[in-house]
């Protein structure tokens, strides 16, 4: 699996799964999260194998035990289109092998040669081996569970924003940023700080009342942002209509691609307010640490200024800090 440019050669602390930023935003997964994603993938294949065995015990019917890697990943990471295909191909290649016996891979690709390069290109099933080890998928699940449980001591849960409990709280912003910044100094990468502000929020409150907007648009908006950020970084509530996103290991191109993807997601979504369909847009401002600020507060202010520029220039747009 390839490393990003900021993952130094021989660096065992992290590996990066990434999508070309010219297509979609980069997918950054720290080593701990990568193990958790692999575990979640394999658990689904093992569960499928068990369920299929109970209903169709004939081992010759391999397709009954298969899952499409794209469908599995869609439940685990919030991706779609080319980004989803890229990640599915990467994980399918990593966890399967055309020669699974040496060494045994956890998953087997579709055994029907008529389908495995077409409809079943991303299909695989948990591997039961007649030799040793007898059950590579199950053994890898056990190995990952042990590894994750012993990796580090339990840490206190991150503080959620009180009103909705969906995004993280403003006090959590700086704690997370400082932890990423310490790692970034060692591994030489940038951190994107992004402000997202709902356009025309005052008009929405005036039309529907604040309580109705709180019960409809705001929770959905927060979930949309949370899904977009997923395992890439952190998303924080920052006032009723304003949100902050922190993305470690994102350069300018990648951060702008992420901001544009999020802007487009808001523009495309219909929000339901007591039976009425409302379309809203957002203005997005982006700054990079350490380029636009030597510390968190200065970088955050630069991103906030960029978001105001987006508002002043007509709303529903992404602007990078000067």
């Amino acid at each position: 699996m390839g490393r990003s440019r900021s993952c130094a050669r021989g660096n065992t602390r992290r590996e990066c799964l990434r999508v070309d930023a010219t297509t979609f935003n980069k997918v950054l997964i720290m080593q701990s999260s990568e193990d958790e994603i692999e575990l979640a993938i394999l658990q689904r294949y093992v569960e499928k194998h068990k369920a299929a065995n109970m209903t169709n015990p004939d081992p010759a019917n391999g397709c009954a035990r298969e899952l499409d890697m794209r469908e599995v990943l869609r439940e685990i990471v919030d991706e779609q289109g080319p980004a989803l295909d890229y990640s599915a191909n990467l994980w399918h290649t990593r966890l399967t092998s055309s020669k699974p016996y040496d060494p045994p891979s956890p998953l087997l690709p579709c055994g029907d040669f008529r389908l495995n390069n077409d409809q079943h290109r991303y299909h695989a099933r948990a591997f039961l081996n007649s030799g040793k080890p007898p059950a590579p998928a199950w053994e890898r699940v056990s190995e990952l569970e042990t590894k994750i449980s012993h990796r580090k001591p339990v840490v206190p849960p991150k503080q959620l924003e009180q009103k909705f409990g969906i995004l993280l709280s403003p006090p959590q912003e700086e704690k997370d940023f400082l932890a990423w910044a310490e790692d970034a100094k060692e591994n030489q990468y940038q951190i994107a700080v992004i402000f997202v502000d709902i356009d025309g929020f005052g008009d929405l409150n005036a039309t529907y009342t604040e309580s109705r907007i709180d019960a409809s648009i705001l929770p959905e908006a927060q979930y949309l942002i949370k899904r977009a950020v997923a395992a890439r970084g952190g998303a924080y509530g920052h006032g009723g209509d304003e949100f902050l996103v922190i993305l470690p290991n994102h350069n300018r191109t990648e951060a702008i691609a992420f901001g544009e993807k999020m802007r487009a997601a808001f523009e495309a979504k219909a929000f339901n307010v007591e039976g009425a369909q409302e379309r809203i847009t957002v203005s997005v401002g982006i700054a990079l640490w350490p380029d636009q600020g030597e510390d968190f507060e200065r970088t955050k202010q630069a991103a906030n200024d960029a978001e105001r520029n987006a508002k002043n220039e007509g709303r529903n747009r992404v602007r990078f800090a000067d």
Side-chain angles (χ1 to χ4, degrees):
M1 181 175 57
R3 299 176 185 271
S4 74
R5 66 183 176 284
S6 59
C7 294
R9 188 181 300 275
N11 180 4
T12 59
R13 291 193 60 197
R14 70 158 21 88
E15 288 184 342
C16 301
L17 299 178
R18 53 187 297 117
V19 175
D20 188 341
T22 61
T23 306
F24 270 99
N25 58 294
K26 174 191 64 177
V27 180
L28 169 68
I29 302 174
M30 298 301 186
Q31 182 64 46
S32 60
S33 296
E34 184 181 328
D35 287 338
E36 291 163 4
I37 289 176
E38 181 182 350
L39 175 60
I41 290 171
L42 292 178
Q43 284 173 333
R44 281 160 175 77
Y45 280 97
V46 167
E47 291 165 2
K48 175 65 174 179
H49 193 283
K50 179 179 179 181
N53 256 21
M54 294 174 67
T55 59
N56 187 353
D58 180 6
N61 189 1
C63 288
R65 292 155 177 76
E66 292 178 2
L67 289 172
D68 189 318
M69 185 65 75
R70 293 169 298 182
E71 297 304 316
V72 173
L73 280 175
R74 192 175 282 118
E75 298 177 7
I76 300 170
V77 295
D78 185 44
E79 295 178 348
Q80 57 187 341
L84 179 64
D85 290 345
Y86 180 97
S87 293
N89 183 62
L90 188 150
W91 280 105
H92 189 274
T93 301
R94 177 177 177 176
L95 297 176
T96 67
S97 172
S98 58
K99 298 179 179 180
Y101 299 95
D102 186 26
S105 59
L107 303 180
L108 279 178
C110 177
D112 190 332
F113 69 91
R114 298 167 300 177
L115 299 174
N116 64 6
N117 288 320
D118 191 14
Q119 299 103 308
H120 289 193
R121 177 182 176 187
Y122 297 104
H123 281 218
R125 65 184 184 274
F127 181 31
L128 271 176
N129 187 8
S130 58
K132 293 183 178 180
W138 285 260
E139 293 189 14
R140 180 57 177 162
V141 166
S142 179
E143 176 186 336
L144 287 167
E145 287 175 339
T146 301
K147 181 180 179 182
I148 291 169
S149 66
H150 291 88
R151 178 180 290 124
K152 52 190 176 184
V154 176
V155 296
K158 292 188 176 184
Q159 181 181 351
L160 295 175
E161 184 257 347
Q162 291 183 355
K163 188 169 185 178
F164 297 103
I166 299 170
L167 300 183
L168 297 170
S169 68
Q172 189 68 46
E173 297 168 359
E174 188 165 15
K175 296 177 184 178
D176 291 347
F177 177 87
L178 291 175
W180 281 316
E182 182 178 352
D183 187 70
K185 290 175 184 176
E186 180 178 345
N187 292 289
Q188 299 182 342
Y189 61 77
Q190 298 164 302
I191 300 174
V193 177
I194 303 173
F195 262 104
V196 181
D197 190 85
I198 297 175
D199 296 326
F201 189 70
D203 295 337
L204 287 171
N205 279 335
T207 301
Y208 293 103
T209 75
E210 182 177 343
S211 62
R212 289 187 174 93
I213 296 301
D214 284 353
S216 55
I217 288 181
L218 284 182
E220 283 299 308
Q222 291 202 9
Y223 277 122
L224 191 156
I225 293 171
K226 183 177 181 178
R227 288 191 296 267
V229 175
R232 299 159 175 79
Y236 311 84
H238 212 271
D241 60 335
E242 196 167 45
F243 315 98
L244 186 78
V245 172
I246 303 176
L247 301 177
N249 201 19
H250 279 58
N251 62 25
R252 175 178 177 138
T253 300
E254 295 158 346
I256 291 174
F258 177 89
E260 180 57 34
K261 179 184 175 183
M262 192 156 48
R263 184 206 63 76
F266 270 96
E267 186 178 42
K269 182 174 177 60
F271 291 82
N272 189 299
V273 186
E274 295 188 342
Q277 298 292 304
E278 279 290 339
R279 298 279 182 172
I280 65 175
T281 61
V282 293
S283 296
V284 181
I286 303 172
L288 290 182
W289 175 88
D291 303 59
Q292 275 75 48
E294 61 185 28
D295 56 25
F296 177 57
E297 287 302 323
R298 288 180 175 85
T299 308
K300 184 168 71 170
Q301 185 60 54
N304 197 13
D305 291 343
E307 176 256 301
R308 290 178 183 173
N309 289 339
K311 291 272 191 194
N312 294 335
E313 292 174 20
R315 303 179 176 181
N316 189 28
R317 60 197 65 209
V318 177
R319 287 294 176 264
F320 192 83
D322 294 331

